Amino acid sequence: MSDIIDFEALLEQKLGEKARRIPRFAVRYLRNILHIDALNDIIQKSNALTGWRFAQFALQYLNIEIVVKGLDNLPSHNRLIFVSNHPLGGPDGLALASVLGKEYNDNIVMPVNDFLMMVKPLSPLFVPINKVGGQSRNLPGIINNIMASDSNIIIFPSGSCSRKINGRIQDRPWTKTFVRSCIEYRRDVVPIHFFGQNSSRFYFLDRLQKFFGIKFSIPMLFLVDEMFRHKNNQFKFVIGKPISYTNFDDTKTQVQWASYVRDSVYELM
């Protein structure tokens, strides 16, 4: 199958000549921690499902139940921006896409790190974003094209997985980009609160990285493994009432509006 993940080829594509210098034991470890064989098994057993249907199948494969509250808050029109906290860093995106993709007849996309494009059946959902390298020069144009389209968009405004901050699992401050886009492209916002957290290992590695001042995000390497740790679990999220783009007026700065929406998300129960 062409959709099967060829991990060694992927490394060479991303790292070029440097990929050949990686010791074989390290490659085997990466294959294991990224669950390449299990991902390929999901792809093979999915019978060529793509997009939100594949996301739904993957969650069923892991025996993960999704519980949703507030479906009646979903607007009937399109060109919406769904904003959510990001506690899990991966399966939360799959869960949102599996529900919203069905509700909006496949009209849902999600900007993601282009590394996630290795799971090809999910590619109809994903808009690949690479913040470094050659594509970074085209990033503003890519974002504008998404926003100008008729697609509904899932965004995690923190830009990264939640961390333990002040003893609580929560997002870092949200960027104002989604507020600016809502105003410019006249898109209403639908706030979503996703419940959950990763293992204690994930947050320990985050503290370790900060302590040693390591630039590479070590915890992110384990996000696929974190997803498999949620096997036989239940995910819950709450959909809040939509916020009109006309609400984002001059009474607050765009940074303050982003913070306001973030606070509103954490108040959803």
Side-chain angles (χ1 to χ4, degrees), residues 118-160:
M118 70 176 184
V119 186
K120 293 180 183 178
L122 288 172
S123 58
L125 281 174
F126 291 164
V127 177
I129 300 295
N130 184 4
K131 295 181 180 179
V132 296
Q135 195 206 50
S136 62
R137 294 188 295 271
N138 302 322
L139 191 55
I142 293 171
I143 297 297
N144 288 338
N145 287 339
I146 301 170
M147 292 298 172
S149 74
D150 291 328
S151 297
N152 299 302
I153 306 169
I154 299 172
I155 290 178
F156 300 103
S158 64
S160 63

mmCIF file of all heavy atoms in Angstrom, residues 118-160:
data_model
loop_
_atom_site.group_PDB
_atom_site.id
_atom_site.type_symbol
_atom_site.label_atom_id
_atom_site.label_comp_id
_atom_site.label_asym_id
_atom_site.label_seq_id
_atom_site.Cartn_x
_atom_site.Cartn_y
_atom_site.Cartn_z
ATOM 1 N N MET A 118 3.126 12.307 7.537
ATOM 2 C CA MET A 118 3.577 10.931 7.301
ATOM 3 C C MET A 118 2.399 9.964 7.377
ATOM 4 O O MET A 118 2.453 8.875 6.798
ATOM 5 C CB MET A 118 4.662 10.523 8.314
ATOM 6 C CG MET A 118 4.186 10.328 9.739
ATOM 7 S SD MET A 118 5.536 9.722 10.803
ATOM 8 C CE MET A 118 4.665 9.484 12.364
ATOM 9 N N VAL A 119 1.333 10.332 8.097
ATOM 10 C CA VAL A 119 0.127 9.502 8.149
ATOM 11 C C VAL A 119 -0.776 9.983 7.011
ATOM 12 O O VAL A 119 -1.651 10.823 7.184
ATOM 13 C CB VAL A 119 -0.579 9.611 9.512
ATOM 14 C CG1 VAL A 119 -1.747 8.631 9.585
ATOM 15 C CG2 VAL A 119 0.392 9.362 10.654
ATOM 16 N N LYS A 120 -0.547 9.420 5.841
ATOM 17 C CA LYS A 120 -1.180 9.926 4.617
ATOM 18 C C LYS A 120 -2.702 9.886 4.624
ATOM 19 O O LYS A 120 -3.341 10.778 4.049
ATOM 20 C CB LYS A 120 -0.625 9.177 3.409
ATOM 21 C CG LYS A 120 0.852 9.476 3.145
ATOM 22 C CD LYS A 120 1.361 8.713 1.933
ATOM 23 C CE LYS A 120 2.852 8.961 1.734
ATOM 24 N NZ LYS A 120 3.375 8.176 0.574
ATOM 25 N N PRO A 121 -3.346 8.880 5.234
ATOM 26 C CA PRO A 121 -4.820 8.893 5.229
ATOM 27 C C PRO A 121 -5.428 10.113 5.927
ATOM 28 O O PRO A 121 -6.594 10.436 5.708
ATOM 29 C CB PRO A 121 -5.180 7.600 5.976
ATOM 30 C CG PRO A 121 -4.031 6.695 5.734
ATOM 31 C CD PRO A 121 -2.829 7.603 5.768
ATOM 32 N N LEU A 122 -4.631 10.787 6.768
ATOM 33 C CA LEU A 122 -5.142 11.980 7.445
ATOM 34 C C LEU A 122 -4.931 13.245 6.616
ATOM 35 O O LEU A 122 -5.424 14.314 6.996
ATOM 36 C CB LEU A 122 -4.452 12.152 8.801
ATOM 37 C CG LEU A 122 -4.855 11.166 9.904
ATOM 38 C CD1 LEU A 122 -3.959 11.342 11.121
ATOM 39 C CD2 LEU A 122 -6.315 11.333 10.299
ATOM 40 N N SER A 123 -4.234 13.133 5.506
ATOM 41 C CA SER A 123 -3.849 14.325 4.737
ATOM 42 C C SER A 123 -5.033 15.188 4.280
ATOM 43 O O SER A 123 -4.878 16.414 4.189
ATOM 44 C CB SER A 123 -2.978 13.938 3.540
ATOM 45 O OG SER A 123 -3.642 13.032 2.688
ATOM 46 N N PRO A 124 -6.238 14.619 3.992
ATOM 47 C CA PRO A 124 -7.346 15.514 3.631
ATOM 48 C C PRO A 124 -7.744 16.478 4.746
ATOM 49 O O PRO A 124 -8.345 17.523 4.475
ATOM 50 C CB PRO A 124 -8.492 14.532 3.329
ATOM 51 C CG PRO A 124 -7.822 13.274 2.926
ATOM 52 C CD PRO A 124 -6.605 13.207 3.801
ATOM 53 N N LEU A 125 -7.407 16.119 5.987
ATOM 54 C CA LEU A 125 -7.731 16.992 7.125
ATOM 55 C C LEU A 125 -6.670 18.060 7.353
ATOM 56 O O LEU A 125 -6.959 19.109 7.920
ATOM 57 C CB LEU A 125 -7.808 16.158 8.415
ATOM 58 C CG LEU A 125 -9.057 15.338 8.695
ATOM 59 C CD1 LEU A 125 -8.823 14.490 9.940
ATOM 60 C CD2 LEU A 125 -10.265 16.229 8.874
ATOM 61 N N PHE A 126 -5.445 17.765 6.937
ATOM 62 C CA PHE A 126 -4.307 18.557 7.374
ATOM 63 C C PHE A 126 -3.886 19.607 6.353
ATOM 64 O O PHE A 126 -3.882 19.363 5.143
ATOM 65 C CB PHE A 126 -3.097 17.660 7.640
ATOM 66 C CG PHE A 126 -3.233 16.764 8.843
ATOM 67 C CD1 PHE A 126 -2.383 15.681 9.015
ATOM 68 C CD2 PHE A 126 -4.195 17.003 9.810
ATOM 69 C CE1 PHE A 126 -2.491 14.855 10.122
ATOM 70 C CE2 PHE A 126 -4.321 16.189 10.919
ATOM 71 C CZ PHE A 126 -3.454 15.108 11.073
ATOM 72 N N VAL A 127 -3.524 20.765 6.873
ATOM 73 C CA VAL A 127 -2.797 21.761 6.091
ATOM 74 C C VAL A 127 -1.402 21.807 6.700
ATOM 75 O O VAL A 127 -1.233 22.248 7.841
ATOM 76 C CB VAL A 127 -3.456 23.151 6.162
ATOM 77 C CG1 VAL A 127 -2.621 24.174 5.398
ATOM 78 C CG2 VAL A 127 -4.869 23.092 5.625
ATOM 79 N N PRO A 128 -0.375 21.303 5.984
ATOM 80 C CA PRO A 128 0.961 21.210 6.574
ATOM 81 C C PRO A 128 1.603 22.575 6.778
ATOM 82 O O PRO A 128 1.620 23.412 5.878
ATOM 83 C CB PRO A 128 1.735 20.375 5.548
ATOM 84 C CG PRO A 128 1.026 20.608 4.253
ATOM 85 C CD PRO A 128 -0.425 20.793 4.612
ATOM 86 N N ILE A 129 2.094 22.786 7.992
ATOM 87 C CA ILE A 129 2.756 24.039 8.345
ATOM 88 C C ILE A 129 4.149 23.715 8.858
ATOM 89 O O ILE A 129 4.311 22.977 9.829
ATOM 90 C CB ILE A 129 1.985 24.801 9.443
ATOM 91 C CG1 ILE A 129 0.570 25.146 8.964
ATOM 92 C CG2 ILE A 129 2.734 26.054 9.860
ATOM 93 C CD1 ILE A 129 0.516 26.116 7.813
ATOM 94 N N ASN A 130 5.148 24.258 8.202
ATOM 95 C CA ASN A 130 6.528 24.092 8.648
ATOM 96 C C ASN A 130 7.060 25.472 8.999
ATOM 97 O O ASN A 130 7.261 26.306 8.121
ATOM 98 C CB ASN A 130 7.381 23.442 7.560
ATOM 99 C CG ASN A 130 8.798 23.160 8.039
ATOM 100 O OD1 ASN A 130 9.115 23.375 9.197
ATOM 101 N ND2 ASN A 130 9.639 22.691 7.140
ATOM 102 N N LYS A 131 7.304 25.718 10.287
ATOM 103 C CA LYS A 131 7.700 27.051 10.742
ATOM 104 C C LYS A 131 9.180 27.328 10.539
ATOM 105 O O LYS A 131 9.659 28.427 10.813
ATOM 106 C CB LYS A 131 7.332 27.234 12.218
ATOM 107 C CG LYS A 131 5.828 27.203 12.458
ATOM 108 C CD LYS A 131 5.489 27.419 13.912
ATOM 109 C CE LYS A 131 3.996 27.375 14.135
ATOM 110 N NZ LYS A 131 3.626 27.560 15.566
ATOM 111 N N VAL A 132 9.911 26.312 10.104
ATOM 112 C CA VAL A 132 11.332 26.502 9.831
ATOM 113 C C VAL A 132 11.600 26.011 8.418
ATOM 114 O O VAL A 132 10.812 25.290 7.823
ATOM 115 C CB VAL A 132 12.217 25.729 10.838
ATOM 116 C CG1 VAL A 132 12.017 26.261 12.222
ATOM 117 C CG2 VAL A 132 11.937 24.239 10.783
ATOM 118 N N GLY A 133 12.747 26.406 7.867
ATOM 119 C CA GLY A 133 13.107 25.933 6.546
ATOM 120 C C GLY A 133 12.459 26.749 5.451
ATOM 121 O O GLY A 133 11.937 27.841 5.662
ATOM 122 N N GLY A 134 12.462 26.188 4.243
ATOM 123 C CA GLY A 134 12.015 26.918 3.065
ATOM 124 C C GLY A 134 10.572 27.325 3.118
ATOM 125 O O GLY A 134 10.196 28.409 2.674
ATOM 126 N N GLN A 135 9.724 26.453 3.651
ATOM 127 C CA GLN A 135 8.294 26.764 3.638
ATOM 128 C C GLN A 135 7.948 27.937 4.536
ATOM 129 O O GLN A 135 6.916 28.578 4.357
ATOM 130 C CB GLN A 135 7.489 25.526 4.053
ATOM 131 C CG GLN A 135 6.005 25.651 3.730
ATOM 132 C CD GLN A 135 5.128 24.808 4.642
ATOM 133 O OE1 GLN A 135 5.243 24.844 5.856
ATOM 134 N NE2 GLN A 135 4.241 24.039 4.036
ATOM 135 N N SER A 136 8.800 28.231 5.516
ATOM 136 C CA SER A 136 8.478 29.298 6.468
ATOM 137 C C SER A 136 8.279 30.632 5.772
ATOM 138 O O SER A 136 7.508 31.469 6.231
ATOM 139 C CB SER A 136 9.590 29.421 7.529
ATOM 140 O OG SER A 136 10.819 29.777 6.924
ATOM 141 N N ARG A 137 8.966 30.836 4.637
ATOM 142 C CA ARG A 137 8.808 32.091 3.897
ATOM 143 C C ARG A 137 7.412 32.213 3.307
ATOM 144 O O ARG A 137 6.916 33.310 3.079
ATOM 145 C CB ARG A 137 9.860 32.172 2.785
ATOM 146 C CG ARG A 137 11.295 32.283 3.287
ATOM 147 C CD ARG A 137 12.258 32.547 2.137
ATOM 148 N NE ARG A 137 12.299 31.416 1.216
ATOM 149 C CZ ARG A 137 13.128 30.385 1.355
ATOM 150 N NH1 ARG A 137 13.964 30.342 2.371
ATOM 151 N NH2 ARG A 137 13.104 29.391 0.472
ATOM 152 N N ASN A 138 6.782 31.065 3.034
ATOM 153 C CA ASN A 138 5.447 31.067 2.437
ATOM 154 C C ASN A 138 4.330 30.945 3.466
ATOM 155 O O ASN A 138 3.160 30.887 3.105
ATOM 156 C CB ASN A 138 5.330 29.903 1.435
ATOM 157 C CG ASN A 138 6.367 29.982 0.336
ATOM 158 O OD1 ASN A 138 6.696 31.064 -0.140
ATOM 159 N ND2 ASN A 138 6.897 28.828 -0.076
ATOM 160 N N LEU A 139 4.712 30.883 4.757
ATOM 161 C CA LEU A 139 3.733 30.628 5.811
ATOM 162 C C LEU A 139 2.590 31.640 5.831
ATOM 163 O O LEU A 139 1.421 31.241 5.909
ATOM 164 C CB LEU A 139 4.438 30.577 7.165
ATOM 165 C CG LEU A 139 3.620 30.074 8.353
ATOM 166 C CD1 LEU A 139 3.043 28.696 8.063
ATOM 167 C CD2 LEU A 139 4.480 30.030 9.607
ATOM 168 N N PRO A 140 2.864 32.953 5.759
ATOM 169 C CA PRO A 140 1.738 33.911 5.772
ATOM 170 C C PRO A 140 0.753 33.660 4.634
ATOM 171 O O PRO A 140 -0.463 33.737 4.831
ATOM 172 C CB PRO A 140 2.435 35.270 5.617
ATOM 173 C CG PRO A 140 3.811 35.047 6.160
ATOM 174 C CD PRO A 140 4.166 33.651 5.755
ATOM 175 N N GLY A 141 1.267 33.331 3.438
ATOM 176 C CA GLY A 141 0.393 33.063 2.302
ATOM 177 C C GLY A 141 -0.444 31.824 2.507
ATOM 178 O O GLY A 141 -1.626 31.781 2.137
ATOM 179 N N ILE A 142 0.155 30.787 3.112
ATOM 180 C CA ILE A 142 -0.565 29.544 3.383
ATOM 181 C C ILE A 142 -1.715 29.811 4.350
ATOM 182 O O ILE A 142 -2.844 29.369 4.136
ATOM 183 C CB ILE A 142 0.395 28.481 3.958
ATOM 184 C CG1 ILE A 142 1.419 28.063 2.910
ATOM 185 C CG2 ILE A 142 -0.382 27.261 4.444
ATOM 186 C CD1 ILE A 142 2.531 27.191 3.449
ATOM 187 N N ILE A 143 -1.412 30.550 5.427
ATOM 188 C CA ILE A 143 -2.441 30.873 6.420
ATOM 189 C C ILE A 143 -3.560 31.695 5.792
ATOM 190 O O ILE A 143 -4.754 31.436 6.024
ATOM 191 C CB ILE A 143 -1.825 31.634 7.612
ATOM 192 C CG1 ILE A 143 -0.805 30.749 8.341
ATOM 193 C CG2 ILE A 143 -2.914 32.097 8.572
ATOM 194 C CD1 ILE A 143 -1.383 29.509 8.961
ATOM 195 N N ASN A 144 -3.195 32.684 4.984
ATOM 196 C CA ASN A 144 -4.213 33.526 4.345
ATOM 197 C C ASN A 144 -5.114 32.717 3.417
ATOM 198 O O ASN A 144 -6.323 32.949 3.356
ATOM 199 C CB ASN A 144 -3.541 34.660 3.572
ATOM 200 C CG ASN A 144 -2.942 35.715 4.483
ATOM 201 O OD1 ASN A 144 -3.349 35.837 5.635
ATOM 202 N ND2 ASN A 144 -1.974 36.459 3.984
ATOM 203 N N ASN A 145 -4.524 31.770 2.688
ATOM 204 C CA ASN A 145 -5.321 30.945 1.785
ATOM 205 C C ASN A 145 -6.333 30.098 2.552
ATOM 206 O O ASN A 145 -7.475 29.911 2.112
ATOM 207 C CB ASN A 145 -4.411 30.037 0.949
ATOM 208 C CG ASN A 145 -3.662 30.800 -0.123
ATOM 209 O OD1 ASN A 145 -4.066 31.887 -0.516
ATOM 210 N ND2 ASN A 145 -2.554 30.242 -0.590
ATOM 211 N N ILE A 146 -5.907 29.568 3.702
ATOM 212 C CA ILE A 146 -6.826 28.777 4.530
ATOM 213 C C ILE A 146 -7.983 29.653 5.001
ATOM 214 O O ILE A 146 -9.152 29.283 4.914
ATOM 215 C CB ILE A 146 -6.115 28.189 5.759
ATOM 216 C CG1 ILE A 146 -4.952 27.295 5.345
ATOM 217 C CG2 ILE A 146 -7.095 27.378 6.614
ATOM 218 C CD1 ILE A 146 -4.071 26.886 6.521
ATOM 219 N N MET A 147 -7.635 30.823 5.520
ATOM 220 C CA MET A 147 -8.641 31.708 6.092
ATOM 221 C C MET A 147 -9.611 32.245 5.038
ATOM 222 O O MET A 147 -10.785 32.468 5.311
ATOM 223 C CB MET A 147 -7.962 32.878 6.817
ATOM 224 C CG MET A 147 -7.201 32.472 8.056
ATOM 225 S SD MET A 147 -8.299 31.752 9.305
ATOM 226 C CE MET A 147 -7.104 31.152 10.502
ATOM 227 N N ALA A 148 -9.121 32.437 3.825
ATOM 228 C CA ALA A 148 -9.968 32.979 2.760
ATOM 229 C C ALA A 148 -10.873 31.915 2.152
ATOM 230 O O ALA A 148 -11.824 32.243 1.431
ATOM 231 C CB ALA A 148 -9.094 33.601 1.673
ATOM 232 N N SER A 149 -10.610 30.654 2.458
ATOM 233 C CA SER A 149 -11.391 29.559 1.889
ATOM 234 C C SER A 149 -12.750 29.436 2.591
ATOM 235 O O SER A 149 -13.053 30.155 3.539
ATOM 236 C CB SER A 149 -10.619 28.244 2.035
ATOM 237 O OG SER A 149 -10.637 27.793 3.380
ATOM 238 N N ASP A 150 -13.561 28.493 2.117
ATOM 239 C CA ASP A 150 -14.858 28.226 2.737
ATOM 240 C C ASP A 150 -14.788 27.116 3.777
ATOM 241 O O ASP A 150 -15.809 26.685 4.315
ATOM 242 C CB ASP A 150 -15.891 27.849 1.661
ATOM 243 C CG ASP A 150 -16.247 29.025 0.759
ATOM 244 O OD1 ASP A 150 -16.234 30.171 1.252
ATOM 245 O OD2 ASP A 150 -16.535 28.795 -0.427
ATOM 246 N N SER A 151 -13.584 26.642 4.072
ATOM 247 C CA SER A 151 -13.423 25.528 5.006
ATOM 248 C C SER A 151 -13.627 25.976 6.447
ATOM 249 O O SER A 151 -13.321 27.119 6.815
ATOM 250 C CB SER A 151 -12.026 24.922 4.874
ATOM 251 O OG SER A 151 -11.819 24.386 3.596
ATOM 252 N N ASN A 152 -14.135 25.065 7.268
ATOM 253 C CA ASN A 152 -14.106 25.251 8.709
ATOM 254 C C ASN A 152 -12.723 24.831 9.201
ATOM 255 O O ASN A 152 -12.125 23.891 8.677
ATOM 256 C CB ASN A 152 -15.180 24.386 9.377
ATOM 257 C CG ASN A 152 -16.575 24.762 8.909
ATOM 258 O OD1 ASN A 152 -16.997 25.900 9.051
ATOM 259 N ND2 ASN A 152 -17.286 23.808 8.325
ATOM 260 N N ILE A 153 -12.226 25.520 10.217
ATOM 261 C CA ILE A 153 -10.836 25.323 10.628
ATOM 262 C C ILE A 153 -10.756 25.031 12.121
ATOM 263 O O ILE A 153 -11.371 25.729 12.940
ATOM 264 C CB ILE A 153 -9.996 26.578 10.311
ATOM 265 C CG1 ILE A 153 -10.139 26.962 8.838
ATOM 266 C CG2 ILE A 153 -8.520 26.337 10.655
ATOM 267 C CD1 ILE A 153 -9.550 28.329 8.515
ATOM 268 N N ILE A 154 -9.999 23.988 12.470
ATOM 269 C CA ILE A 154 -9.694 23.690 13.874
ATOM 270 C C ILE A 154 -8.325 24.272 14.189
ATOM 271 O O ILE A 154 -7.349 23.998 13.486
ATOM 272 C CB ILE A 154 -9.671 22.176 14.134
ATOM 273 C CG1 ILE A 154 -11.033 21.549 13.835
ATOM 274 C CG2 ILE A 154 -9.262 21.881 15.581
ATOM 275 C CD1 ILE A 154 -11.025 20.026 13.880
ATOM 276 N N ILE A 155 -8.250 25.083 15.243
ATOM 277 C CA ILE A 155 -6.991 25.720 15.612
ATOM 278 C C ILE A 155 -6.738 25.531 17.105
ATOM 279 O O ILE A 155 -7.655 25.614 17.926
ATOM 280 C CB ILE A 155 -7.015 27.231 15.276
ATOM 281 C CG1 ILE A 155 -6.992 27.440 13.760
ATOM 282 C CG2 ILE A 155 -5.837 27.958 15.901
ATOM 283 C CD1 ILE A 155 -7.055 28.899 13.351
ATOM 284 N N PHE A 156 -5.476 25.278 17.430
ATOM 285 C CA PHE A 156 -5.030 25.267 18.822
ATOM 286 C C PHE A 156 -4.174 26.516 19.021
ATOM 287 O O PHE A 156 -2.975 26.515 18.695
ATOM 288 C CB PHE A 156 -4.244 23.993 19.128
ATOM 289 C CG PHE A 156 -5.040 22.730 18.922
ATOM 290 C CD1 PHE A 156 -4.849 21.946 17.804
ATOM 291 C CD2 PHE A 156 -6.001 22.356 19.849
ATOM 292 C CE1 PHE A 156 -5.589 20.790 17.607
ATOM 293 C CE2 PHE A 156 -6.750 21.195 19.667
ATOM 294 C CZ PHE A 156 -6.549 20.417 18.545
ATOM 295 N N PRO A 157 -4.771 27.603 19.526
ATOM 296 C CA PRO A 157 -4.074 28.895 19.552
ATOM 297 C C PRO A 157 -2.833 28.948 20.438
ATOM 298 O O PRO A 157 -2.047 29.894 20.339
ATOM 299 C CB PRO A 157 -5.146 29.862 20.068
ATOM 300 C CG PRO A 157 -6.442 29.193 19.769
ATOM 301 C CD PRO A 157 -6.173 27.738 19.952
ATOM 302 N N SER A 158 -2.646 27.952 21.316
ATOM 303 C CA SER A 158 -1.426 27.945 22.125
ATOM 304 C C SER A 158 -0.215 27.617 21.267
ATOM 305 O O SER A 158 0.915 27.951 21.623
ATOM 306 C CB SER A 158 -1.534 26.921 23.255
ATOM 307 O OG SER A 158 -1.642 25.607 22.724
ATOM 308 N N GLY A 159 -0.445 26.923 20.144
ATOM 309 C CA GLY A 159 0.648 26.564 19.254
ATOM 310 C C GLY A 159 1.428 25.342 19.688
ATOM 311 O O GLY A 159 2.327 24.895 18.983
ATOM 312 N N SER A 160 1.103 24.804 20.862
ATOM 313 C CA SER A 160 1.801 23.606 21.348
ATOM 314 C C SER A 160 0.941 22.909 22.391
ATOM 315 O O SER A 160 -0.048 23.464 22.870
ATOM 316 C CB SER A 160 3.156 23.968 21.959
ATOM 317 O OG SER A 160 3.000 24.799 23.091
#
